[in-house]
Amino acid sequence: MADVDRSSNAPSDPFSDQAGIHDERDIIAEATLSVGRNATLTLGTDAVIVLDEGLRSRRGFNCFGCLPQRTTNTRSIPYFNILWAETVKGDLTIHYAKPTSKSPKSSVRVSYINYTLENTTTQSEKAERWAQRLLDRAYGHAQRKKRIKVLINPFGGKGKAVKQHSKEIEPIFAAARCEVDAERTTHRGHAIEIAQNLDINAYDVLASCSGDGLPHECINGLAKKSNAVEALRKVAVVQLPCGTGNGMSWNLNGTGDCSTAALCIVKGVRTPLDLVSITQGDTRTLSFLSQSLGIVAESDLGTENIRWMGDARFYYGFLVRLMGKTLYPVDIAVKTEIEDKQDIKRHYAEQMAKRATQAAISKTDLDGPLDTSTGLGLPPLQYGTVKDPLPIGNGWTPLQHYPNLGNFYCGNMSMMAADAPFFPASLPSDGLMDLVTIDGDIPRRIALDLLLSVPNNAFFDKESVRYRKVSAVRVIPRYGTLADSTAENKKNASRDEGCFAADGEKMPFEAFQLEVHRGLGTVLSRRAGVYEAPGPKAWEDIDGAAIAGTQRL
Ligand SMILES: Nc1ncnc2c1ncn2[C@@H]1O[C@H](COP(=O)(O)OP(=O)(O)OP(=O)(O)O)[C@@H](O)[C@H]1O
């Protein structure tokens, strides 16, 4: 029998009991509900326990009576998987998300249990109270019955988003009593238009059945509103992973499976997310995931002609450029905040310690008063645009020529795809970008080792990886169509047109400036304020709790 949760002081886990019944006898009495003569339902620590003689049906092979028969008369359903519970006309029904296999990465499907209650007022009142307590535990701080605008990119990833939505996603939202309004995108940029015109009082969530391209558009659509700051705070942008990389889903929910992601969105808690302004010429674009120039951008965007290769096209493109030791000369100026890798680990430990002790962010916190001093439009750019004179001092390096750059990769989330923690020290809202730069003329053996070090999270500590926490960067490419005839290292400099990518989307190939805005966006995540990612290796060995509060950020 699973133990009943007797603690009156609930921990920070958002799915712990919030009901606050203090009398121990009441807790025990209220935790168990008898349904019929042979079945009880009990609110356990992390799961509802179903004890039902009727479940004893699955008899195992008993080998002429030598082996004991399986008596599977109990079943436990984790609170996280509970979608809804209610009593209607003398019946108690619990809908939940049931894994389709025993694998930890299993997808889920809607299932339910149903019991007819004794026809007495006492029994139905008790069942009603019990169902409410179950919902309290199942949802914790997460908002119930979310109002979700769903966008479906019929051509995203492998082109299966429409089917995945109707078979794997929609039933979960329906069982959780979410209000859903679904719409297919019909052209590039359609999600920007939809988000720009969205009634932010009618929806809590803007969800994309897509890769990372559609959430990028959703954020930029909300940013076009005259009340952009309010819109980006009120409406949580989320992803139902139907693309190939699905970085947003891996970071916030730790899954690339869309049914599991739907469950995570039903249970998701609101989390502020740093957003990055990219200025190019007179335009300003927001980015939530990454900005890349050099080998990663070229391997992603420069291989569209071999899309038939699937995921392999990225690695193929990468290896071709790596073998050629291709260089991507730039001029670069950086406003660095933390330079040393050990200091970055300490910052990460300290921030994680803070998040472990903080209560989850409540709706009131997120919907609290906004800074209206600069209107409700996007926050002003602290360092101007790429067209302004470069700020001098105040942590900015001067604009320096970097003739042998191989990879410029700036990240705001840890995982760029499954098993790809390129930015293990990133946090959703520490107000900093993680910048990786790697020389393009390092020995091929070392470059290959770098690529292979990413899945086992050894990338961060590699000597040839320069990893900085920064708040702003300016980059002027000096190769491809922007090649400077006086630039050094012309021999290996890329002669292709040149690619600059933001969140995996193609951007104009021209000079750009990045500036981060702390917590400007809102997403839903499985755990408030952290990513489902490993962090830089050995960060747990640093006593973050001891140093929390002593640092500047
Ligand atoms: N109906 C449509 N026709 C053409 N393009 C579309 C349509 N709907 C959306 N798009 C565009 O598709 C682009 C990519 O979207 P999305 O991220 O969903 O897929 P993806 O790039 O295939 O994902 P991944 O890179 O993970 O494979 C976006 O720029 C978006 O504007």
Side-chain angles (χ1 to χ4, degrees):
M1 182 76 180
D3 44 330
V4 174
D5 182 3
R6 290 158 200 230
S7 71
S8 57
N9 189 12
S12 62
D13 175 2
F15 298 99
S16 61
D17 184 14
Q18 302 300 307
I21 295 180
H22 297 293
D23 185 83
E24 199 166 331
R25 280 170 309 173
D26 277 358
I27 292 173
I28 295 167
E30 290 287 312
T32 299
L33 183 71
S34 297
V35 279
R37 264 190 306 154
N38 296 321
T40 58
L41 305 173
T42 300
L43 299 172
T45 308
D46 311 306
V48 58
I49 314 299
V50 183
L51 177 63
D52 185 344
E53 295 299 319
L55 293 175
R56 206 191 279 262
S57 54
R58 279 195 293 142
R59 283 167 193 276
F61 172 57
N62 95 345
C63 197
F64 307 106
C66 296
L67 296 175
Q69 289 185 314
R70 275 175 75 193
T71 54
T72 49
N73 61 349
T74 57
R75 175 191 299 175
S76 83
I77 308 169
Y79 289 131
F80 189 77
N81 290 43
I82 300 286
L83 297 168
W84 203 251
E86 66 182 2
T87 56
V88 177
K89 291 185 184 161
D91 268 20
L92 170 68
T93 307
I94 301 172
H95 280 95
Y96 64 102
K98 184 179 182 178
T100 54
S101 78
K102 288 194 172 144
S103 154
K105 290 183 178 167
S106 163
S107 52
V108 291
R109 294 286 179 275
V110 175
S111 190
Y112 69 94
I113 52 175
N114 172 274
Y115 289 97
T116 300
L117 303 165
E118 271 172 39
N119 191 15
T120 65
T121 315
T122 330
Q123 167 75 346
S124 54
E125 280 174 3
K126 187 173 180 196
E128 178 58 33
R129 277 199 310 275
W130 187 90
Q132 284 309 319
R133 280 175 52 73
L134 172 57
L135 285 177
D136 288 342
R137 289 180 173 227
Y139 279 86
H141 294 289
Q143 184 191 348
R144 302 177 194 180
K145 296 185 175 181
K146 295 182 175 99
R147 299 166 303 165
I148 310 176
K149 174 81 187 178
V150 175
L151 304 183
I152 307 163
N153 177 0
F155 303 107
K158 296 191 180 100
K160 292 185 178 161
V162 172
K163 195 167 160 198
Q164 285 176 304
H165 173 255
S166 63
K167 286 204 148 175
E168 300 175 48
I169 297 165
E170 222 292 313
I172 290 181
F173 286 161
R177 303 292 193 271
C178 292
E179 266 176 50
V180 176
D181 172 18
E183 183 172 351
R184 292 183 198 183
T185 53
T186 57
H187 52 273
R188 182 170 282 273
H190 193 183
I192 297 184
E193 296 160 23
I194 295 171
Q196 187 178 357
N197 297 316
L198 194 79
D199 176 357
I200 62 165
N201 295 315
Y203 298 100
D204 306 302
V205 180
L206 181 52
S208 296
C209 300
S210 67
D212 292 311
L214 239 53
H216 171 89
E217 289 194 355
C218 289
I219 286 169
N220 280 287
L222 294 174
K224 279 180 181 287
K225 284 179 173 288
S226 55
N227 57 343
V229 174
E230 189 182 12
L232 287 163
R233 191 192 274 198
K234 258 192 166 167
V235 180
V237 174
V238 304
Q239 176 186 49
L240 292 146
C242 298
T244 41
N246 303 318
M248 185 181 247
S249 180
W250 279 108
N251 284 286
L252 299 173
N253 297 323
T255 184
D257 171 72
C258 55
S259 62
T260 307
L263 170 62
C264 290
I265 287 164
V266 163
K267 294 303 177 71
V269 285
R270 284 152 64 87
T271 285
L273 180 73
D274 293 343
L275 295 177
V276 172
S277 273
I278 305 170
T279 59
Q280 292 189 284
D282 290 324
T283 66
R284 179 179 180 181
T285 310
L286 292 183
S287 168
F288 72 93
L289 180 65
S290 65
Q291 305 85 40
S292 60
L293 193 81
I295 194 163
V296 167
E298 306 276 334
S299 311
D300 191 2
L301 300 179
T303 55
E304 287 288 329
N305 55 329
I306 47 171
R307 246 187 186 271
W308 53 268
M309 274 194 180
D311 282 0
R313 82 183 157 94
F314 177 85
Y315 294 100
Y316 172 80
F318 195 93
L319 289 173
V320 167
R321 286 160 182 83
L322 186 139
M323 288 305 151
K325 286 195 180 178
T326 316
L327 303 177
Y328 304 92
V330 296
D331 292 344
I332 182 167
V334 184
K335 178 158 167 44
T336 307
E337 301 297 337
I338 314 177
E339 173 88 58
D340 177 76
K341 286 186 182 173
Q342 201 54 27
D343 288 344
I344 291 175
K345 284 190 188 180
R346 196 169 298 120
H347 164 81
Y348 185 85
E350 170 209 324
Q351 294 288 315
M352 291 300 279
K354 264 192 195 168
R355 282 158 177 76
T357 51
Q358 264 169 5
I361 300 147
S362 71
K363 192 166 158 50
T364 343
D365 287 341
L366 274 164
D367 293 341
L370 285 164
D371 176 9
T372 53
S373 57
T374 54
L376 287 174
L378 286 179
L381 291 163
Q382 217 183 325
Y383 306 110
T385 75
V386 69
K387 288 168 74 180
D388 291 318
L390 192 73
I392 298 168
N394 193 21
W396 276 91
T397 64
L399 198 63
Q400 286 161 331
H401 188 52
Y402 188 169
N404 57 333
L405 173 74
N407 189 20
F408 171 97
Y409 208 3
C410 198
N412 186 37
M413 289 188 168
S414 174
M415 320 277 292
M416 292 300 107
D419 300 323
F422 272 98
F423 305 101
S426 66
L427 288 151
S429 57
D430 64 352
L432 296 170
M433 300 178 274
D434 289 29
L435 173 62
V436 164
T437 46
I438 302 171
D439 295 348
D441 51 4
I442 53 174
R444 294 184 182 95
R445 179 182 48 78
I446 293 181
L448 199 57
D449 175 59
L450 279 186
L451 183 65
L452 299 175
S453 72
V454 176
N456 51 29
N457 198 21
F459 178 75
F460 177 92
D461 290 301
K462 295 285 178 186
E463 211 182 321
S464 43
V465 173
R466 185 166 184 196
Y467 197 112
R468 287 168 272 183
K469 287 259 178 196
V470 307
S471 50
V473 194
R474 177 175 296 188
V475 177
I476 307 170
R478 300 284 186 203
Y479 61 93
T481 49
L482 302 177
D484 179 348
S485 57
T486 61
E488 308 138 55
N489 282 310
K490 275 197 293 185
K491 190 163 77 73
N492 289 333
S494 169
R495 280 158 221 270
D496 296 339
E497 183 206 343
C499 293
F500 171 46
D503 305 341
E505 295 291 288
K506 192 174 173 63
M507 302 286 289
F509 182 66
E510 57 188 54
F512 61 88
Q513 182 158 307
L514 311 178
E515 175 178 327
V516 64
H517 310 283
R518 188 177 201 149
L520 176 62
T522 306
V523 289
L524 295 178
S525 63
R526 200 166 174 146
R527 293 178 297 154
V530 295
Y531 290 136
E532 300 300 311
K537 263 201 178 144
W539 72 268
E540 297 97 331
D541 300 343
I542 297 170
D543 187 357
I547 55 175
T550 63
Q551 284 232 329
R552 58 197 175 282
L553 289 163

